[in-house]
């Protein structure tokens, strides 16, 4: 009776429940697309709660209780058992409740999720114990051992000492020519959300491919490196650096040096590649 009362109270409160509903990438049959590193990194860096859950109940809501629902989708009320808490406070209950929008089947039916396992990326709802809010698109995905290991790897990077800070822009860019024709060094100092140091250095030598590295310390030292693709540092750079060097960041005292700084920056952008596949 207590379980039924909790469910009915939750459903009755949907008219004023402040959740935002997100739809996973999926086609009409209800299967989910495989997510790349960038998609998993976006979810992992924005979700204070990551958990593996097993669906206990999945109830489709009538259209009048699903404002803003997209055509071909259904809003589900989910009750789930927490199998393991991957990130978040240890005080989370064994049972959680949330809402999610998902595609209907080719026959227009809601998908059946009971007893299936999912990875969820969410945040608690203030003042509503046991209720959570998904943080974004794809935040409710089928659990697989591989996906869980990928997410755990990203979360380890996030909490590791010296983790890459959030990149918010370019602070300054300076090119200093060398003694030989075609020789020079460009330093690009980055803005970060927490004020932590971050910079990119590009070295040019005559007849050689430019060499570059990223430093997360005040000075360029042996820790400076080219970030490997599908790492947190690569993600922060490839996905949050501007496409071109802002004019206001150029501080060299002549046009040629500023032009070389622009060229070196575009070289780094090309080396990083696009954000995502």
């Amino acid at each position: 009776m207590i379980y039924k009362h909790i469910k009915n109270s939750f459903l009755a409160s949907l008219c004023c429940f402040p959740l935002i509903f997100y739809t996973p990438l999926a086609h009409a049959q209800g299967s989910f697309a495989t997510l790349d590193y960038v998609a998993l990194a976006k979810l992992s860096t924005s979700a204070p709660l990551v958990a593996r859950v097993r669906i206990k109940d999945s109830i489709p809501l009538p259209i009048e209780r699903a404002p803003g629902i997209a055509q071909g989708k259904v809003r589900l009320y989910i009750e789930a058992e927490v199998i393991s808490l991957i990130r978040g406070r240890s005080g989370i209950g064994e049972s959680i409740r949330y809402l999610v929008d998902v595609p209907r089947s080719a026959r227009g039916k809601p998908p059946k999720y009971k007893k299936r396992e999912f990875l969820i990326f969410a945040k608690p709802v203030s003042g509503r114990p046991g209720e959570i809010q998904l943080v974004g698109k794809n935040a409710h995905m089928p659990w697989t051992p591989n996906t869980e290991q990928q997410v755990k790897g990203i979360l380890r990077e996030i909490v590791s000492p010296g983790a890459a800070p959030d990149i918010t822009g370019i602070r300054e860019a300076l090119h200093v020519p060398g003694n030989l024709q075609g020789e020079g060094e460009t330093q690009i100092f980055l803005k970060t959300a927490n004020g932590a140091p971050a910079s990119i250095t590009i070295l040019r030598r005559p007849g050689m491919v430019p060499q570059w590295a990223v430093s997360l310390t005040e000075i360029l030292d042996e820790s400076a490196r080219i970030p490997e693709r599908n790492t947190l540092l690569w993600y922060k750079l490839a996905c949050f650096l501007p496409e071109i060097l802002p004019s206001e960041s150029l501080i060299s005292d002549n046009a040629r040096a500023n032009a070389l700084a622009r060229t070196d920056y575009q070289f780094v952008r090309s080396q990083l590649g696009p954000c995502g596949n």
Side-chain angles (χ1 to χ4, degrees):
M1 290 297 293
I2 294 174
Y3 172 81
K4 184 176 180 181
H5 173 72
I6 292 173
K7 180 189 296 186
N8 290 340
S9 297
F10 180 86
L11 293 173
S13 70
L14 289 177
C15 61
C16 56
F17 194 49
L19 284 186
I20 301 173
F21 309 99
Y22 296 96
T23 305
L25 284 176
H27 55 64
Q29 285 70 34
S31 65
F32 293 71
T34 301
L35 299 185
D36 62 12
Y37 179 91
V38 168
L40 292 175
K42 286 179 180 178
L43 290 168
S44 299
T45 54
S46 61
L49 171 65
V50 182
R52 174 185 172 188
V53 303
R54 181 181 294 114
I55 306 302
K56 295 192 297 185
D57 209 350
S58 174
I59 303 173
L61 302 185
I63 191 68
E64 62 269 17
R65 290 195 175 184
I69 189 76
Q71 186 174 3
K73 305 292 174 62
V74 60
R75 184 160 296 164
L76 299 178
Y77 159 71
I78 300 288
E79 291 181 344
E81 168 196 1
V82 177
I83 298 174
S84 61
L85 184 63
I86 299 171
R87 181 187 194 187
R89 296 174 298 179
S90 58
I92 186 175
E94 295 180 359
S95 181
I96 56 174
R97 305 180 298 279
Y98 58 96
L99 301 174
V100 63
D101 291 354
V102 295
R104 293 181 180 273
S105 71
R107 300 175 61 185
K109 301 292 185 180
K112 296 183 184 296
Y113 289 154
K114 191 171 183 178
K115 296 185 179 180
R116 287 185 59 183
E117 294 185 12
F118 285 81
L119 273 181
I120 59 167
F121 300 78
K123 59 184 179 181
V125 177
S126 179
R128 294 176 179 267
E131 296 176 15
I132 62 169
Q133 176 180 337
L134 301 180
V135 299
K137 191 176 182 181
N138 306 308
H140 172 262
M141 68 182 70
W143 174 86
T144 68
N146 181 61
T147 302
E148 180 174 337
Q149 289 308 308
Q150 282 185 279
V151 170
K152 284 182 175 179
I154 294 169
L155 293 174
R156 281 194 295 268
E157 284 191 274
I158 291 172
V159 300
S160 66
D166 291 340
I167 306 299
T168 60
I170 306 293
R171 183 159 54 89
E172 294 176 339
L174 172 71
H175 180 81
V176 179
N179 295 323
L180 302 175
Q181 182 71 26
E183 185 180 65
E185 176 179 318
T186 295
Q187 288 189 309
I188 300 170
F189 299 95
L190 309 179
K191 296 178 183 177
T192 60
N194 61 359
S199 62
I200 302 171
T201 300
I202 306 98
L203 296 175
R204 288 186 172 271
R205 297 289 183 266
M208 298 177 63
V209 175
Q211 303 295 309
W212 68 286
V214 180
S215 175
L216 300 180
T217 62
E218 293 288 354
I219 59 173
L220 185 67
D221 57 19
E222 63 274 4
S223 67
R225 63 194 187 279
I226 297 176
E228 294 183 23
R229 188 176 179 84
N230 292 347
T231 61
L232 190 62
L233 179 56
W234 169 84
Y235 164 70
K236 297 288 183 73
L237 295 168
C239 297
F240 296 96
L241 284 177
E243 288 300 319
I244 61 173
L245 202 58
S247 298
E248 61 272 18
S249 68
L250 295 165
I251 61 171
S252 296
D253 57 5
N254 65 80
R256 174 171 171 75
N258 285 332
L260 287 169
R262 288 184 187 277
T263 298
D264 286 343
Y265 181 76
Q266 293 309 131
F267 171 75
V268 171
R269 285 294 311 169
S270 67
Q271 289 283 295
L272 290 169
C275 175
N277 290 334

